[in-house]
Amino acid sequence: MMTDTLKPRDGKDVESAVQGALAEGKSLEIAGHGSKRAIGRPAQTDLTLDLSALTGVTLYEPEELVLTARAGTPIAEIEALVASKGQQLAFEPMDYGALLGGWPGAGTVGGALAANLSGPRRIKAGAARDHFLGLTAVSGRGETFKSGGRVVKNVTGYDLCKLIAGSWGTLAAMTELTIKTLPGPETEATVAIVGLDDAAAAQAMIAAMGSSCDVSGAAHLPAAVAASLPLAHAAGGGRALTLLRLEGVAPSVAHRQAALVARVKPFGEVVTIAEASSVPLWQAVRDVLPFAASRAGAEAPLWRVSTAPTQGAALARMVTNATGASCLFDWAGGLIWISVPDARDDAAAPAVRRAVAACGGHATLIRAPAALRAAVEPFEPQDTVLAALTKRVKEGFDPKGVFNTGRMWAGV
Amino acid sequence: MSVVMPQPDAAVLARRESIVAALSAIVPGEGVIASERAMRPYESDGLTAYRALPMVVLLPETTEQVSRVLAYCHREGVKVVPRGAGTSLSGGALPLTDGVLLGMAKFNRIREIDFDNRVVVAEPGVTNLAVTQAVEHAGFYYAPDPSSQIACTIGGNVAENSGGVHCLKYGMTTNNVLGCELVLMTGEIVRIGGKHLDAGGYDLLGIITGSEGLLGVVTEITVRILKKPETARAVLVGFNRSEDAGDCVSRIIGAGIIPGGMEMMDRPAIRATEEFVHAGYPLDVEALLIVELDGPQAEVDHLIARVEAIARDCQAVTCKVSSSEQERLLFWAGRKAAFPAVGRISPDYYCMDGTIPRAKLPLVLKRIRELSEHYGLRVANVFHAGDGNLHPLILYDANKPGELDKTEEFGSEILKLCVDVGGVLTGEHGVGVEKRDLMPAMFSETDLAHQQRLKCAFDEKGLLNPGKVFPKLHRCAELGRMHVHAGRVAFPDIPRF
């Protein structure tokens, strides 16, 4: 569907655009590069508010650990800039490009925060929301407001940054953001256990996370999934691979690698993967390359499930037994990507929802044909009290439903 | 006391007896405290300059009681002030004379320790330190460690988004909480998150954390626990100029090192603590830095050497590395006793809490010295140097007429200065009543209205902890009103495709 697109040049333009939409009774789809557009309920909007012209880093002080950028600044540009100072975005934002059949490296900083992106390092460093220090945005009332600040420690007023992070553009159009930057690791290495089934892998990851080794990534690739990644295949000879990442200064990584190998040896055959292979391997895990659109099918249903790490294997088993789905585990078993065989007409939603209800957590249908995303609730259904509260929060920021309404849930 | 609290509701006060009777039917026996003498201990929190006796103190024991109390108060239009241990330094738990003070002290059980998922499920009245104590036998701990950790509760930590000396590396409360059970003012019970890393839906947990008891009453909290680092060592570095100390902090971070703790004290603070604790601090320096590295032995040894080299480059005049656990703790003993130490050299002190971009430290310290001379009040500065969180302690004597007012004015000037240089009003103590009227220095009316509408989504009648955080109370209906100018030229000259 073609929609009319507004492309504001600055924050003032964004405010005018929203006021204009309000005056004309029109609804807006907020977009940066549109790289995550296919996530959520397919909502009908009158106009697209394209923020991709709001670009540029306006402040970067590495020693203060802060960076301010306009919302449409490419996240790749920010990552390159901070890397030039030996820093990184510690929340390790994943790139949805491969999963959604888009270009790698697309996406804006506004989109990264609106989707609350994270990566394998979430178990240690948190998600985008944990690094979101300040924002300027235009609410659905057509008013520019700010929250937070440009310092790393701040409790002045409600932390609206947290609320806007992960709200998928349903509350406000961000125009400028301040995020925390942190030193990047000097080096990294991966300790891998070969050939474990999902349950044994969960136990191994629990043992690793319960050690002093400061593991910054813990993922499990079942055999079929590992086989699809050349680097994983090389390390495990086509068998399942349980990956444990260590990052830091070289003497520390070496010391912890020895300690971690000793710790996980009882679980099975252990191999170590040096930095040169470790970096691209974790990038593949971060971006869920085994279930890339090019491999699984551009519209093959894919779920993202967040649960307690000890529940991951059981939850996955419930779904795979019922549907023949394939899983990739991250976050020490607490994040499960579930790829459902192509032909299903319900994206295996009943099986996934049942498993989540039994094991705890929540599930999001990340990829599916639009018709399926309209028929199956992509976001976890809420109980009545929580749903009503969510709706009241939405109405506070966007009473007329101008922004992305219906993307997360009907009416929100 | 210069802060004006909301006008007490005469109609509610007139019905006090029947309200207390109704609440006594919900909260059993000694959980209802209504005599003036017995309520006296609840009249203030850690900000003792502000006091008020509540209408009644309630100490519920179950979520169901909390729910019924709030539902009753919602129906009857009675205000409610939640309270943990009452250690707030910003007056967040200051009672209202026409309100219920809802003490959460009886929610004092740890419900579950789950080492495999590395979480503890605790009731809000459990103290911060008790969480660590419950798991330390297995080598775990709870990272946020506000100085009041012996007394302050985990529920209060959630309300205030408490920090501590380790939050540069390990985060504040908000980065260490995974779930909660929350009772809304209507009495409705909501569960948010759990043992998984993200709650799904809007990040309400992120909003509740740091909401200063204005959005709901938390009755259960799930926090993350971490494995204790293998070892920790501290370096004590003295400088002749605070600029050098600030420079040293920047260069440590610039070198890619995030210490477990990085604290700075100025000359008056060093002197007061050394005389009190005898930690071996050098007395002839302008600024003292404690840098603590934690992690595996190999990492700590490696980084300590780098920190020492950076310190030497930054004109350090003294540099001492702890050679034993005992010595490390001694280095910290001084810093941790800084507040009581200052309390020894002055009848009263007033602790401020602003955050500044660290590069502005020399400027801010110079300006504080000027203000100190202007007001004729001494100041000692304690600084969480890594994250720019400054705690100036203003020394005063409450018995001298007018001195408290002068102190508060001085404090306000310091906080406005923090905002002027690009910082914020509060880094970890909260707004409460203390900084409520300074909020316009940082936020416009529109900014505050967006925050207050969030309050309306949780507490439409504005009954939960009113008079805190926001300088002006607005009715939700008034905040919700929207003026749309139909017929105006839309999208005047925005590029269109």
Side-chain angles (χ1 to χ4, degrees), chain B residues 412-470:
Chain B
S412 298
E413 289 300 318
I414 294 176
L415 295 182
K416 282 187 230 162
L417 170 65
C418 291
V419 175
D420 285 346
V421 300
V424 299
L425 291 173
T426 171
E428 57 182 354
H429 293 174
V431 177
V433 292
E434 187 203 21
K435 301 165 203 96
R436 185 193 75 186
D437 294 342
L438 292 172
M439 287 289 268
M442 196 168 143
F443 295 116
S444 71
E445 285 270 339
T446 309
D447 299 337
L448 290 173
H450 278 84
Q451 297 195 27
Q452 282 175 292
R453 283 189 206 98
L454 188 60
K455 160 82 169 162
C456 292
F458 282 82
D459 172 25
E460 198 225 337
K461 294 187 182 176
L463 292 170
L464 204 49
N465 219 2
K468 316 288 169 68
V469 183
F470 299 110

Side-chain angles (χ1 to χ4, degrees), chain A residues 63-64 123 146 252 306, chain B residues 198 224 299 358-359 447 496:
Chain A
E63 289 165 2
E64 303 275 347
I123 51 175
K146 64 179 182 305
S252 175
S306 178
Chain B
D198 52 3
R224 303 181 74 174
E299 174 175 329
R358 216 180 326 94
D447 299 337
R496 230 176 139 132

Side-chain angles (χ1 to χ4, degrees), chain A residues 48-75:
Chain A
T48 294
L49 184 62
D50 175 350
L51 300 180
S52 66
L54 270 64
T55 56
V57 171
T58 53
L59 176 146
Y60 176 37
E61 293 176 359
E63 289 165 2
E64 303 275 347
L65 308 173
V66 294
L67 179 144
T68 304
R70 295 195 184 91
T73 310
I75 193 87

